[in-house]
Amino acid sequence: MAQYDVIIIGGGPGGYNAAIRAGQLGLKTAVVEKRVTLGGTCLNVGCMPSKALLHASELYEAAAGAEFVTLGIDVKPKLNLVQMMKQKADSVTALTKGIEFLFKKNKVEWIKGAGKIAGAGKVEVTAEDGSVSVLETKNIVIATGSEPSPLPGVDVDQNRIVDSTGALSLPEVPKSLVVIGAGIIGLELGSVWRRLGAEVTVVEFLDRITPGMDAETAKTFQRSLTKQGVQFKLGSKVTGAKAGKSSVSLTVEPVAGGAAETIEAEYVLLAIGRRPFTENLGLESVGVETDKRGFIPTDHFKTTAPGVWAIGDVILGPMLAHKAEEDAVACIELIAGKWGHVDYNLVPSVVYTSPEVAWVGKTEEQLKEAGVAYKVGKFPFSANSRAKINHETEGFAKVLADAKTDEILGVHIVGPQAGEMIGEYCVAMAFKAASEDIARVCHPHPTRSEAGRQAAMGVEGWTMQS
């Protein structure tokens, strides 16, 4: 029986990055993954395919709408949904094959099958043909990720009622689509189909969209989506869904009380969040218990069982692919006797809609609740030269800094390329930068990043371009 230093259960961003780092450090490593491809939810049915459709749909809308005409490009585009889905699939295949290459490069073994813990130092693998094998290892890393959360009364059939996976592969552009949940996944996928021609309505239990986002940023974001044609029913709960051959009837009630109403749509997307995938992993065989929500409690990625570790969506913290990657590196380095740590306050969030939204650190609401005195610098993209030239003037950049020390505490951007721009502030905050540090660093002109610099100037009241 082969003896491994590390066996990782799950081949997603947490799992495959853990494996690559372990291989780099000379550890004998295997990944147990039941999908036919590596990459987990993110590469196969999450981050990557959704970005492929977001990009394609943005270009289609630019060509079909006023943007190309304004630029002096006269075209009449025709949507080829089959080809749009094919290029998405081709991109995903290239990425998953890339991980296979990295495994070979770093001497990582991919064991195909469903893995579960079978006692201390043992992992049981059930292959697709039903055969079972048991592997021995010094360390087990649980990196099984998460799955879409269900909603009582709404049964996902991946036909008329879909989750995020089904929404990435609809066979047609819906005439009408109802999205249940105004979080990042629902708004990204809803915006894809809205751009391709669907009438999109978002039903949200809370009285606001994107919980956790800075409130001012969220309001600006919602106004932009509304202007694009997305309709919102906030403070509303879905109590039932009945799927027919060609449509779905949704029963929706106001959270505050009142009469229920029925909404008809061709398709319904259930996107109320994700839950950790921790069932049937054999945790009980080593005495590991999850909390009420299914998360595995850890202390620096260590579970209560010696030699058993957990990373990514199965533990507390943002349920984001890049957070899982950070967990992966830190966890493996601890296993290898090195120093590993992740600062979850510096894990950025991005919504890849148009405009994009990105943020890192604290929101204004969190600072107020904590009683922290802070200053605000804000700059609109309508005053940014590159954004003006590119007709991308919606939104703003906002910098929050400590009123006494000027240390940057949070940055919130809604506007073009926000996801790319937020990285500057992740680095700045990691080095405890002050807003003045950003304000006095030369940025290239004309670029969108100047909006972030001008916002930093605004903390001390010397914004120069608005």
Side-chain angles (χ1 to χ4, degrees):
M1 188 179 292
Q3 174 74 38
Y4 294 90
D5 293 314
V6 184
I7 291 180
I8 299 153
I9 304 176
Y16 75 71
N17 279 283
I20 291 166
R21 187 68 185 120
Q24 289 175 340
L25 293 173
L27 301 174
K28 184 173 172 58
T29 306
V31 170
V32 181
E33 171 55 57
K34 63 184 178 182
R35 288 183 193 268
V36 295
T37 52
L38 293 167
T41 294
C42 177
L43 263 68
N44 289 281
V45 290
C47 326
M48 299 308 169
S50 65
K51 302 311 161 286
L53 291 183
L54 283 158
H55 175 62
S57 65
E58 284 176 23
L59 291 176
Y60 173 75
E61 185 175 57
E67 181 62 12
F68 269 31
V69 175
T70 302
L71 294 174
I73 306 169
D74 292 333
V75 294
K76 288 187 178 179
K78 181 183 176 185
L79 177 64
N80 183 342
L81 189 60
V82 172
Q83 173 59 26
M84 192 175 284
M85 291 297 175
K86 181 184 179 299
Q87 63 85 29
K88 174 200 72 173
D90 290 347
S91 298
V92 168
T93 298
L95 289 168
T96 58
K97 291 292 183 187
I99 297 172
E100 288 185 46
F101 164 76
L102 291 171
F103 272 22
K104 289 173 185 171
K105 178 183 175 183
N106 292 285
K107 298 182 174 60
V108 174
E109 190 177 346
W110 173 17
I111 299 169
K112 298 177 183 180
K116 65 182 290 188
I117 301 171
K122 289 185 170 61
V123 174
E124 181 183 289
V125 182
T126 304
E128 198 174 10
D129 63 6
S131 61
V132 177
S133 59
V134 177
L135 311 172
E136 289 193 352
T137 182
K138 296 173 188 172
N139 295 279
I140 299 169
V141 177
I142 302 165
T144 45
S146 59
E147 60 185 346
S149 297
L151 181 65
V154 182
D155 297 323
V156 172
D157 58 14
Q158 300 297 28
N159 181 25
R160 288 290 158 184
I161 303 175
V162 299
D163 59 16
S164 54
T165 300
L168 288 166
S169 301
L170 294 181
E172 61 184 344
V173 177
K175 288 186 178 67
S176 54
L177 170 69
V178 170
V179 179
I180 306 174
I184 293 175
I185 295 170
L187 294 179
E188 285 188 353
L189 292 174
S191 71
V192 165
W193 293 108
R194 202 281 309 157
R195 282 195 284 267
L196 297 180
E199 184 179 283
V200 175
T201 302
V202 179
V203 180
E204 169 58 44
F205 184 83
L206 300 176
D207 61 358
R208 55 160 293 170
I209 71 168
T210 50
M213 185 186 288
D214 176 81
E216 181 188 23
T217 307
K219 284 178 183 174
T220 300
F221 181 35
Q222 185 183 340
R223 276 198 301 271
S224 176
L225 293 175
T226 301
K227 196 160 70 175
Q228 293 171 34
V230 178
Q231 300 175 55
F232 290 94
K233 294 184 77 66
L234 304 180
S236 301
K237 60 180 176 180
V238 175
T239 56
K242 187 176 180 183
K245 279 188 178 180
S246 59
S247 65
V248 182
S249 293
L250 279 181
T251 308
V252 181
E253 296 178 6
V255 173
E261 65 172 315
T262 301
I263 301 176
E264 297 282 336
E266 273 198 341
Y267 290 89
V268 167
L269 163 59
L270 178 61
I272 60 168
R274 298 182 66 83
R275 63 181 181 180
F277 193 88
T278 49
E279 289 187 4
N280 303 316
L281 286 180
L283 298 177
E284 67 284 348
S285 71
V286 287
V288 172
E289 294 182 0
T290 62
D291 67 13
K292 290 179 182 177
R293 295 187 295 162
F295 290 101
I296 298 172
T298 56
D299 179 9
H300 291 82
F301 316 109
K302 296 177 186 175
T303 70
T304 54
V308 179
W309 309 71
I311 61 173
D313 285 3
V314 298
I315 68 173
L316 293 174
M319 296 176 91
L320 299 168
H322 45 279
K323 177 265 195 185
E325 294 179 358
E326 297 306 305
D327 285 357
V329 171
C331 176
I332 294 300
E333 291 185 347
L334 288 169
I335 288 172
K338 294 178 176 289
W339 185 85
H341 174 70
V342 180
D343 184 346
Y344 291 151
N345 186 55
L346 296 184
V347 174
S349 294
V350 184
V351 191
Y352 294 92
T353 46
S354 180
E356 287 187 353
V357 189
W359 67 97
V360 66
K362 303 300 183 187
T363 65
E364 287 202 58
E365 291 70 42
Q366 288 171 329
L367 294 175
K368 286 171 185 172
E369 191 177 336
V372 176
Y374 66 95
K375 290 183 177 181
V376 182
K378 203 168 92 173
F379 188 81
F381 279 99
S382 58
N384 174 264
S385 55
R386 182 67 188 273
K388 274 185 176 179
I389 288 166
N390 286 19
H391 311 129
E392 302 169 327
T393 54
E394 282 192 291
F396 58 78
K398 179 165 72 169
V399 175
L400 309 176
D402 188 285
K404 293 179 182 175
T405 67
D406 195 34
E407 181 184 342
I408 299 171
L409 303 176
V411 179
H412 307 271
I413 306 171
V414 52
Q417 297 290 308
E420 300 291 345
M421 289 167 57
I422 202 67
E424 173 180 8
Y425 293 94
C426 297
V427 174
M429 291 169 66
F431 285 91
K432 305 290 183 186
S435 73
E436 187 180 5
D437 292 326
I438 296 292
R440 294 192 180 276
V441 169
C442 184
H443 286 56
H445 175 77
T447 60
R448 304 168 186 93
S449 68
E450 289 177 285
R453 183 191 185 190
Q454 292 288 326
M457 290 176 173
V459 172
E460 294 298 332
W462 60 289
T463 298
M464 298 177 66
Q465 294 176 3
S466 73

